[in-house]
């Protein structure tokens, strides 16, 4: 296959530099990297560092995106009106700033790559033409290892079909107005992985993201990403190749470690970001924590869950719903007057008023899926930003709802788009965090120490095991923190 060339647009490192050479990358995640979540992740960056974060949309199915207007409208909302079908380059060029809505809005959501899965070049090209006006590049998913990708013959299940991959990328490289990139997994050997990466680059990919796990590494068999393969690629691919790394990013500190270990241009986080959306941002200086960031007596800490959830809710109100957020009281910090004793009671908000609500008043927790009325079915939420909220909260609040099961039960009953109910969840979380902060102030030094992370082992070349990693990553339950998966041998045990 001869190398493809194109002079119609910036390519490779020139393109990468034109979007600010971002070192931090928010991964494409199915139904989880939508606009509101990208905005939340970007909100922890300073104005000076905002362009250092590149975000990807969720993975979209190219054929469905092209053939099904409802699918397209319920997943990608760059303008307030439906996108024209078929794609119309002239009309797309006529949009004024007042027409722009959420996805790819140059005021708030750039740089942005849109990712598709596909196995047919024409379908991928048509899907890409729908979005090229509203993003900086189109990415081809070659990494999805799930069963649905195997059945649909896309994602990581294309990696034996190099001709198809070449044709998919090359078609976009030659006929799309913006660059094409690709996200791949490592193969069975580093040498074979290098051949694979060279083929993808020869097809015209401007950037390749390499997930340092093989296709079989998923679920209980996820294991660790192999950074040594990424270092091998860095040392053996041309120096002008733009390379991103994906895998093993649990905390902000891991980003610098990955950059040093692999020599890549940027580091991508997926699951680490879902559990801690502040993962890309720097901690505020000591003494400038305000009410959002909690720091212990020894200087360790993180963003509070109530503060992060409040940011998220305010973003949904402002951008997705186009309305002002409800009036909010300042978040509690130790030293504030305690109006009423913190308790295990939950609270519920009805309009601007709040009242304590006993757990029994919430009603029984459903033990099986409840039938919905015809009216409820007709009012089904279709906004990708509203439909993703419940899943995001279960990820982000995982340590908190493990302790406060009443909040977990209330969250389980939330309906997509019911903002009043999610406001109730926020109120409950604020009360839970308040109680945790009050309890912390009353703890002994030894009790406080037990809540904080342990020192990392001296030999960082050896895998400490997931239990030791949990000990190094843990934070108090009211602080956003990573979720550590058991290693395969531990899961089997």
């Amino acid at each position: 296959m001869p190398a493809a060339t194109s002079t119609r647009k910036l390519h490779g490192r020139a393109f990468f530099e034109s979007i600010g050479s971002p070192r931090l990358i928010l991964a494409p995640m199915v139904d989880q990297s939508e606009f509101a979540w990208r905005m939340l992740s970007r909100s922890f960056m300073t104005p000076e560092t905002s362009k250092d974060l590149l975000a990807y949309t969720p993975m979209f199915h190219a054929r469905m995106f092209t053939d099904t207007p409802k699918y397209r409208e319920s997943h990608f909302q760059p303008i307030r009106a439906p996108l024209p079908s078929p794609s119309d380059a002239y009309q797309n060029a006529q949009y004024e700033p007042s027409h722009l809505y959420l996805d790819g809005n140059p005021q708030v959501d750039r740089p942005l790559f849109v990712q598709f899965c596909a196995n047919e070049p024409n379908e991928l090209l048509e899907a890409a033409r729908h979005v090229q006006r509203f993003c900086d590049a189109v990415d081809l998913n070659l990494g999805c290892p799930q069963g649905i990708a195997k059945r649909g013959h896309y994602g990581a299940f294309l990696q034996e079909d190099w001709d198809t991959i070449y044709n998919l990328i090359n078609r976009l490289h030659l006929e799309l107005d913006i660059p094409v990139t690709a996200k791949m997994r490592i193969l069975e050997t580093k040498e074979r992985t290098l051949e694979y990466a060279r083929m993808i680059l020869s097809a015209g990919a401007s950037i390749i993201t390499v997930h340092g796990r093989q296709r079989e590494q998923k679920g209980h068999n996820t294991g660790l990403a192999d950074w040594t393969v990424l270092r091998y690629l860095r040392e053996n691919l041309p120096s002008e190749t733009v390379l991103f790394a994906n895998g093993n990013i649990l905390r902000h500190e891991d980003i610098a470690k990955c950059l040093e270990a692999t020599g890549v241009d940027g580091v991508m986080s997926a699951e680490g970001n879902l559990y801690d959306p502040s993962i890309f941002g720097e901690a505020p200086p000591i003494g400038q924590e305000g009410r959002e960031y909690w720091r212990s007596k020894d200087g360790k800490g993180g963003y509070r869950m109530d503060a992060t959830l409040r940011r998220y809710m305010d973003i949904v109100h402002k951008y997705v719903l186009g309305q002002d957020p409800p009036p909010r009281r300042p978040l509690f910090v130790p030293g504030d007057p305690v109006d009423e004793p913190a308790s295990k009671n939950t609270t519920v908000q009805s309009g601007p008023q709040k009242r304590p609500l006993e757990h029994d008043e919430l009603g029984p927790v459903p033990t099986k899926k409840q039938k919905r009325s015809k009216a409820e079915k007709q009012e089904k939420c279709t906004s990708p930003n509203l439909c993703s909220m419940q899943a995001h909260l279960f990820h982000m609040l995982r340590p908190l709802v493990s302790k406060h099961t009443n909040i977990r039960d209330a969250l389980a009953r939330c309906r997509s788009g019911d903002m009043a109910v999610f406001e109730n969840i926020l109120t409950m979380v604020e009360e839970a965090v308040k109680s945790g902060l009050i309890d912390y102030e009353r703890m002994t030094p030894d009790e406080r120490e037990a809540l904080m992370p342990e020192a990392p082992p001296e030999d960082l070349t050896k895998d400490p095991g997931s239990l030791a990693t949990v000990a190094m990553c843990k934070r108090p339950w009211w602080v956003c923190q990573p979720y550590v998966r058991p290693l395969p041998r531990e899961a089997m045990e």
Side-chain angles (χ1 to χ4, degrees):
M1 293 177 292
T5 58
S6 174
T7 58
R8 294 188 300 168
K9 58 200 172 196
L10 292 177
H11 180 75
R13 190 159 296 277
F15 163 65
F16 180 59
E17 292 172 352
S18 76
I19 60 172
S21 303
R23 296 180 307 111
L24 310 172
I25 300 100
L26 172 56
M29 296 175 282
V30 176
D31 296 333
Q32 295 284 271
S33 57
E34 76 292 343
F35 171 85
W37 191 257
R38 299 195 299 267
M39 286 292 294
L40 176 62
S41 301
R42 294 183 193 276
S43 75
F44 294 98
M45 310 295 290
T46 65
E48 296 75 23
T49 63
S50 61
K51 292 299 182 182
D52 207 22
L53 177 58
L54 161 66
Y56 284 62
T57 66
M59 181 192 77
F60 303 140
H61 192 290
R63 179 176 53 77
M64 294 181 67
F65 198 91
T66 299
D67 295 345
T68 312
K70 283 188 176 181
Y71 177 89
R72 190 165 58 242
E73 293 162 17
S74 64
H75 286 80
F76 192 68
Q77 301 175 329
I79 56 176
R80 296 184 182 276
L83 290 171
S85 184
S87 61
D88 186 330
Y90 175 79
Q91 183 172 339
N92 286 344
Q94 306 307 309
Y95 291 126
E96 300 292 336
S98 60
H99 297 141
L100 302 180
Y101 184 34
L102 301 178
D103 296 290
N105 190 313
Q107 299 299 316
V108 293
D109 194 28
R110 294 292 184 95
L112 177 71
F113 290 2
V114 175
Q115 189 187 70
F116 290 103
C117 65
N119 56 27
E120 206 287 315
N122 290 331
E123 292 174 350
L124 178 60
L125 178 62
E126 181 59 26
R129 282 174 170 163
H130 277 291
V131 304
Q132 64 181 354
R133 165 69 171 79
F134 310 105
C135 62
D136 298 285
V138 167
D139 186 76
L140 175 63
N141 182 309
L142 298 173
C144 182
Q146 303 304 324
I148 190 171
K150 183 176 183 179
R151 293 190 296 273
H153 191 54
Y154 60 79
F157 296 93
L158 285 176
Q159 66 189 29
E160 287 82 20
D161 191 353
W162 288 19
D163 286 342
T164 295
I165 292 174
Y166 184 93
N167 291 333
L168 288 165
I169 294 172
N170 189 240
R171 187 71 179 274
L172 265 60
H173 176 56
L174 295 176
E175 300 191 38
L176 201 64
D177 294 340
I178 59 176
V180 57
T181 66
K183 184 172 184 289
M184 55 174 270
R185 286 183 171 242
I186 62 174
L187 303 185
E188 59 275 8
T189 67
K190 61 184 181 181
E191 293 81 10
R192 187 61 172 164
T193 304
L194 177 60
E195 291 181 44
Y196 188 37
R198 284 172 171 164
M199 179 275 294
I200 290 172
L201 290 168
S202 74
S206 280
I207 298 171
I208 54 173
T209 301
V210 182
H211 188 155
R213 294 182 175 93
Q214 296 184 39
R215 182 172 62 194
E216 294 72 27
Q217 290 182 265
K218 58 182 180 179
H220 290 315
N221 195 42
T222 296
L224 295 174
D226 189 346
W227 286 356
T228 65
V229 178
L230 281 98
R231 168 58 74 174
Y232 179 79
L233 294 178
R234 177 74 289 169
E235 293 174 347
N236 287 276
L237 289 171
S239 59
E240 65 269 18
T241 302
V242 182
L243 192 62
F244 295 160
N246 180 210
N248 296 356
I249 307 301
L250 295 175
R251 304 170 297 167
H252 181 77
E253 299 91 324
D254 297 329
I255 296 172
K257 293 178 183 177
C258 183
L259 287 169
E260 181 179 0
T262 62
V264 296
D265 298 280
V267 177
M268 176 179 285
S269 176
E271 196 167 72
N273 167 263
L274 286 181
Y275 290 93
D276 181 4
S278 71
I279 192 171
F280 298 113
E282 298 280 355
I286 294 177
Q288 299 180 28
E289 295 85 356
R291 293 176 179 266
E292 289 194 317
Y293 193 90
W294 179 87
R295 184 173 267 125
S296 68
K297 305 297 182 183
D298 62 2
K300 301 172 183 176
Y303 279 92
R304 292 166 42 167
M305 290 186 181
D306 56 346
T308 306
L309 177 53
R310 183 181 282 194
R311 278 196 190 205
Y312 181 40
M313 294 290 294
D314 287 354
I315 286 169
V316 172
H317 280 293
K318 179 180 178 180
Y319 292 99
V320 179
L321 301 178
Q323 62 191 25
D324 291 332
R328 305 198 189 281
R329 296 182 297 180
L331 293 169
F332 174 84
V333 293
D336 285 353
V338 180
D339 298 332
E340 53 188 57
S343 68
K344 293 183 180 179
N345 292 348
T346 60
T347 57
V348 67
Q349 177 173 308
S350 178
Q353 302 298 319
K354 297 181 180 179
R355 66 176 180 85
L357 184 66
E358 296 294 339
H359 182 246
D360 290 345
E361 292 184 70
L362 288 168
V365 179
T367 56
K368 60 181 181 179
K369 190 172 182 180
Q370 303 293 300
K371 291 184 178 180
R372 302 180 65 185
S373 68
K374 185 176 294 186
E376 287 178 316
K377 292 179 180 179
Q378 290 173 346
E379 297 175 3
K380 183 179 178 181
C381 176
T382 59
S383 166
N385 297 285
L386 300 181
C387 292
S388 300
M389 291 178 67
Q390 184 186 51
H392 279 311
L393 267 57
F394 270 120
H395 283 116
M396 186 173 68
L397 303 177
R398 188 175 189 273
L400 186 148
V401 299
S402 296
K403 182 178 180 66
H404 293 269
T405 56
N406 56 332
I407 300 179
R408 178 198 64 198
D409 296 342
L411 181 56
R413 284 173 285 167
C414 288
R415 298 289 190 190
S416 298
D418 192 341
M419 290 299 290
V421 174
F422 283 102
E423 285 290 336
N424 293 341
I425 298 294
L426 173 58
T427 300
M428 297 161 72
V429 170
E430 290 174 350
E431 182 67 16
V433 173
K434 176 181 174 181
S435 70
L437 293 172
I438 292 173
D439 290 343
Y440 181 82
E441 294 298 310
R442 297 170 180 165
M443 290 179 180
T444 65
D446 288 344
E447 289 173 328
R448 291 176 177 175
E449 183 65 24
L451 293 173
M452 301 309 297
E454 298 178 5
E458 293 184 6
D459 187 355
L460 294 176
T461 64
K462 295 182 179 179
D463 172 30
S466 63
L467 294 180
T469 304
V470 168
M472 289 187 290
C473 294
K474 73 176 179 180
R475 305 169 193 172
W477 55 261
W478 59 84
V479 173
C480 292
Q481 56 194 277
Y483 167 61
V484 181
R485 289 179 177 272
L487 293 174
R489 55 180 169 78
E490 297 169 335
M492 292 300 294
E493 290 172 1

